[in-house]
Amino acid sequence: MRNRKTLEITGVKQVESFDNEEFLLETVMGYLAIRGNNLTMKNLDVDKGIVSIKGRIYDLVYLAE
């Protein structure tokens, strides 16, 4: 994460859902919710399992299974 404005996440299996306030990702470590403001997907490489998100990031949390 850089300055709470850009985030690159590895180990992503798929993007479950996203909008400008929340991304829900399935990762190799479980489901990850990213919350913030004006969130946009900057880059998605499903072959490499990488997602880049841009915006104001407030919260990163792994969800209990």
Side-chain angles (χ1 to χ4, degrees):
M1 184 184 316
R2 290 188 183 98
N3 298 319
R4 291 180 63 182
K5 293 180 182 177
T6 59
L7 177 66
E8 183 174 276
I9 301 166
T10 60
V12 176
K13 291 182 174 183
Q14 68 179 348
V15 177
E16 288 290 323
S17 64
F18 68 94
D19 59 31
N20 65 342
E21 293 183 345
E22 181 178 56
F23 276 67
L24 180 60
L25 310 174
E26 181 184 0
T27 74
V28 294
M29 300 295 293
Y31 284 93
L32 175 63
I34 297 113
R35 295 180 186 98
N37 217 324
N38 298 321
L39 300 178
T40 58
M41 191 178 312
K42 184 177 170 186
N43 186 34
L44 171 62
D45 188 333
V46 286
D47 293 330
K48 293 181 182 176
I50 299 172
V51 173
S52 298
I53 298 171
K54 183 177 166 183
R56 182 76 169 164
I57 298 159
Y58 297 138
D59 188 36
L60 297 163
V61 64
Y62 279 96
L63 305 176
E65 295 191 31

